């Protein structure tokens, strides 16, 4: 009899690039922060929203190389690009943010993230250009072409701020995840989890000037959103471990 699941070596063949969490991720991120309207927060997050006046939403682009432990470490590595629109959230006394809209160009990352965390990733194609992505200058553009539209972030230069204070809640990713039981007669449930990444190194973090544009079809929750960017930052060479700390806050 197999020692389930340790002796089921076939999983290594089926899913060579999809190891169990955690994953180690290293690369560059560009983030543009804006003030979301109460109506938008209500429509997107409902009871998870946090409409505290000083809370910020964000548009963020990632260019990341990843590795995972797995049984076949040489195969459990790769690269993904990602665009995320996230909104401030709260569960009881815990403040964080919900990555409500996410796109990537990696099937491995998409599958892993959906299964491990319930993140709502969709497929997109990416065009990243300019010095922000290779460490050359504080200018550049990220564009994700999504179904029926595009998400764009443009970095136009350095900003005068000497330092960047942490945005409240930005280190905690509050994540609704639907659990579908194997027994079709059993009721499913929704978990509200908090995923807290461990920062190995913050990298070269600096304030920049940026603009963001969201062009999505009518009927999409983000249609008509024209974010006014109040601050932006570039992180080059940052390194995170994602999946070590996952806490279930509540379940329905």
């Amino acid at each position: 009899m197999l020692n389930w699941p340790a002796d089921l070596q076939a999983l290594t063949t089926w899913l060579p690039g999809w190891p169990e969490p955690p994953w180690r991720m290293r690369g560059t991120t560009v983030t543009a922060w804006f003030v979301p309207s109460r109506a938008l927060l209500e429509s997107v997050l409902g009871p998870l929203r946090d409409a505290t006046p000083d809370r910020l939403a964000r548009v963020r682009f990632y260019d990341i190389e990843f590795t995972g432990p797995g049984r076949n470490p040489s195969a459990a590595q790769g690269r993904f690009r990602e665009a995320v629109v996230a909104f401030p959230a709260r569960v009881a006394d815990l403040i964080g943010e919900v990555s409500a809209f996410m796109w990537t160009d990696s099937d491995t990352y998409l599958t892993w993230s959906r299964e491990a965390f319930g993140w709502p990733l969709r497929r997109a194609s990416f065009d990243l250009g300019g010095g922000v992505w290779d460490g050359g200058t504080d200018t550049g553009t990220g564009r994700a072409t999504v179904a029926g539209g595009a998400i764009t972030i443009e970095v136009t230069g350095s900003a005068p701020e000497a330092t960047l204070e942490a945005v409240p809640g930005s280190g905690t990713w509050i994540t609704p995840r639907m659990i579908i039981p194997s027994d079709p007669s059993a009721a499913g449930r929704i978990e509200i989890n908090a995923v807290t990444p461990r920062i190995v190194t913050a990298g070269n973090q600096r304030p920049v000037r940026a603009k963001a544009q969201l062009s999505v079809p009518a009927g999409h929750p983000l249609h008509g959103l024209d974010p006014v960017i109040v601050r932006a930052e570039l992180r080059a060479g940052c390194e995170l471990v994602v999946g070590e700390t996952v806490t279930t806050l509540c379940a329905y």
Side-chain angles (χ1 to χ4, degrees):
M1 179 179 292
L2 290 174
N3 176 21
W4 173 266
D7 291 340
L8 192 58
Q9 296 299 318
L11 285 176
T12 303
T13 302
W14 296 342
L15 305 170
W18 185 22
E20 290 296 314
W23 275 15
R24 184 174 289 260
M25 302 180 177
R26 179 177 177 85
T28 297
T29 67
V30 176
T31 309
W33 302 90
F34 64 95
V35 179
S37 69
R38 288 178 177 265
L40 181 58
L41 284 175
E42 173 68 34
S43 66
V44 171
L45 298 189
L48 294 181
R49 71 192 183 282
D50 185 354
T52 304
D54 61 347
R55 297 297 311 277
L56 298 175
R58 64 169 166 84
V59 179
R60 177 177 291 160
F61 273 69
Y62 298 76
D63 185 9
I64 297 292
E65 294 179 346
F66 68 83
T67 58
R71 296 192 180 92
N72 187 2
S74 63
Q77 58 188 344
R79 179 189 182 194
F80 67 86
R81 274 68 64 94
E82 183 181 23
V84 176
V85 183
F87 295 93
R90 178 188 292 268
V91 177
D93 293 331
L94 179 70
I95 65 170
E97 56 185 10
V98 171
S99 297
F101 304 96
M102 309 174 72
W103 298 267
T104 185
D105 60 353
S106 166
D107 288 333
T108 297
Y109 176 62
L110 181 149
T111 305
W112 179 79
S113 299
R114 285 184 176 181
E115 179 66 19
F117 304 121
W119 288 341
L121 274 152
R122 293 175 177 266
R123 206 59 165 80
S125 60
F126 283 75
D127 182 13
L128 307 181
V132 293
W133 303 110
D134 58 19
T137 64
D138 286 347
T139 59
T141 303
R143 179 181 175 88
T145 301
V146 305
I151 312 297
T152 305
I153 193 166
E154 180 183 1
V155 180
T156 58
S158 59
E161 292 88 347
T163 59
L164 278 171
E165 296 183 2
V167 172
S170 61
T172 301
W173 303 331
I174 296 175
T175 304
R177 181 188 183 200
M178 180 173 290
I179 307 299
I180 301 174
S182 57
D183 181 357
S185 65
R189 73 181 191 277
I190 294 176
E191 292 180 348
I192 307 298
N193 295 322
V195 180
T196 305
R198 174 167 62 89
I199 299 176
V200 178
T201 175
N204 183 359
Q205 178 188 8
R206 54 191 185 271
V208 293
R209 301 181 187 275
K211 299 182 289 185
Q213 183 177 6
L214 287 75
S215 175
V216 294
H220 191 284
L222 298 179
H223 178 71
L225 176 62
D226 184 15
V228 177
I229 305 306
V230 298
R231 59 174 286 181
E233 63 183 52
L234 166 66
R235 288 177 180 256
C238 60
E239 187 169 353
L240 306 174
V241 175
V242 178
E244 278 183 342
T245 305
V246 181
T247 305
T248 299
L249 305 174
C250 56
Y252 301 92

